[in-house]
């Protein structure tokens, strides 16, 4: 990122948000990292965040399949906004967004729906997403999951594994048969 770069980090979990702010301060990055307490979604409004005992598993989209490995511990209402709105609020033009990193526990389709300007206008965009095909298919069905992957391709992205991600290794598509979550890199 460097001294001229900017990061906008959004976190819906109240405790995780406090930790995010502490980390920014402890590392002296307050001049280039903005912390936002909220959630990304397809549209602005209020969203219900399902809190998990493991703070990295909070989700806006709770599915029956998660019950086998997530212990939920309550809910909290959070402000939701689109990624397009988030960057606009921070004075960043969609065309200037270079990197997006997300881990939204099966809510990927909604987040991508709320970043259409970024997807269309960003000139040099790389997206790192911990993709949860099983959760997406459970919530939306196989056809909508395939349509989601195809919409990324339609925006000029190719889907590739990152850090041992998508099944079959580097360069493979995250389509049917994949493990519940994989880190995938999307590059235009």
């Amino acid at each position: 990122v460097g001294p001229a770069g900017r990061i906008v980090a959004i976190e819906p979990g109240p405790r995780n948000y406090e930790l995010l702010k502490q980390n920014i301060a402890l590392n002296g990055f307050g001049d280039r990292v903005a912390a936002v307490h909220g959630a990304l979604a397809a549209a602005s409004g209020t969203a219900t965040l399902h809190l998990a005992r493991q703070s990295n598993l909070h989700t806006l989209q709770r599915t029956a399949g998660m019950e086998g490995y997530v212990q939920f511990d309550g809910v909290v209402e959070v402000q939701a906004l689109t990624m397009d709105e988030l960057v606009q609020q921070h004075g960043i033009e969609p065309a200037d967004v270079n990197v997006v990193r997300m881990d939204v526990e099966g809510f990927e389709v909604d987040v991508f729906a709320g970043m259409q300007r970024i997807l269309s206008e960003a000139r040099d965009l790389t997206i790192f997403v911990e993709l949860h095909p099983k959760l997406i298919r459970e919530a939306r069905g196989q056809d909508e999951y395939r349509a989601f992957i195809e919409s990324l391709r339609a925006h000029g992205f190719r889907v590739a594994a990152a850090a041992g991600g998508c099944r079959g290794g580097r360069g493979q598509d995250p389509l049917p048969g994949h493990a519940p979550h994989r880190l995938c890199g999307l590059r235009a």
Side-chain angles (χ1 to χ4, degrees), residues 2-188:
R6 296 177 57 199
I7 296 172
V8 179
I10 185 165
E11 172 56 54
R15 176 76 178 121
N16 288 351
Y17 174 68
E18 292 303 320
L19 290 172
L20 172 63
K21 291 191 313 183
Q22 289 174 17
N23 277 315
I24 292 167
L26 286 170
N27 288 289
F29 291 137
D31 62 331
R32 65 192 87 155
V33 180
V36 176
H37 187 214
L40 293 174
S44 294
T46 303
T48 301
L49 179 67
H50 300 269
L51 300 171
R53 288 198 181 152
Q54 289 179 275
S55 64
N56 64 322
L57 297 176
H58 300 330
T59 185
L60 294 176
Q61 185 164 280
R62 185 173 176 172
T63 65
M66 298 175 90
E67 303 299 327
Y69 66 94
V70 179
Q71 292 180 328
F72 288 102
D73 206 21
V75 298
V76 63
E77 295 299 310
V78 296
Q79 285 301 117
L81 68 160
T82 69
M83 193 179 301
D84 287 337
E85 292 167 331
L86 178 68
V87 299
Q88 181 182 20
Q89 287 177 5
H90 288 271
I92 301 169
E93 291 296 321
D96 295 331
V97 175
N98 299 109
V99 176
V100 171
R101 163 67 176 104
M102 74 174 80
D103 179 5
V104 293
E105 301 303 319
F107 206 61
E108 296 89 347
V109 174
D110 291 88
V111 174
F112 276 89
M115 58 184 287
Q116 292 303 303
R117 282 198 61 205
I118 293 168
L119 291 171
S120 296
E121 297 175 22
R123 294 181 292 259
D124 183 27
L125 180 61
T126 299
I127 302 172
F128 294 98
V129 56
E130 185 173 338
L131 196 59
H132 295 77
K134 183 178 177 182
L135 298 178
I136 297 169
R137 288 193 299 261
E138 182 180 355
R140 298 176 171 277
Q142 179 65 28
D143 289 344
E144 193 165 339
Y145 175 70
R146 282 185 178 277
F148 167 64
I149 297 299
E150 291 306 320
S151 74
L152 296 175
R153 290 186 181 124
H155 280 289
F157 288 94
R158 63 180 169 78
V159 181
C166 303
R167 179 183 212 142
R170 217 166 260 293
Q172 298 296 315
D173 286 342
L175 287 171
H178 283 253
H181 30 270
R182 299 290 187 186
L183 181 63
C184 299
L186 307 173
R187 179 109 173 127

